[in-house]
Amino acid sequence: FKYQWLDDFLVYINELKKTVPNLVICGDYNICHQAIDIHNPKSNANTSGFLPEERAWMSTFFESGFVDAFRHFNKEPHHY
């Protein structure tokens, strides 16, 4: 995985959650998690920010208990 910093970051924030249970992480990771998060998923399938390994990392991030606050309230496509 060429984005080692993402794995390192996930380890760091998961450790931090142990002492800060209401942890809020803000930022733009420049990764579109799902097809609804990008204008044209087919033509961007091999584009940085929508690569399978990046999207898989986002899945792991959310599975560890974090929530995409925007997508939580905006489930429709083409809202970015």
Side-chain angles (χ1 to χ4, degrees):
F1 188 49
K2 62 183 176 178
Y3 305 102
Q4 183 62 46
W5 74 271
L6 288 173
D7 287 340
D8 294 343
F9 179 63
L10 190 58
V11 168
Y12 172 74
I13 60 177
N14 280 322
E15 282 298 313
L16 192 57
K17 273 194 323 188
K18 293 176 182 176
T19 57
V20 184
N22 294 319
L23 182 64
V24 175
I25 303 293
C26 299
D28 181 355
Y29 304 100
N30 217 18
I31 299 171
C32 297
H33 182 230
Q34 298 179 12
I36 66 168
D37 298 320
I38 194 165
H39 176 69
N40 192 336
K42 286 187 179 186
S43 69
N44 285 295
N46 295 314
T47 302
S48 180
F50 197 60
L51 298 174
E53 59 268 25
E54 295 165 322
R55 297 171 66 203
W57 181 87
M58 290 299 294
S59 291
T60 301
F61 178 74
F62 296 133
E63 288 165 3
S64 72
F66 291 98
V67 174
D68 180 339
F70 179 81
R71 277 290 168 223
H72 181 77
F73 293 104
N74 298 280
K75 299 187 186 318
E76 297 297 317
H78 307 296
H79 295 248
Y80 314 114

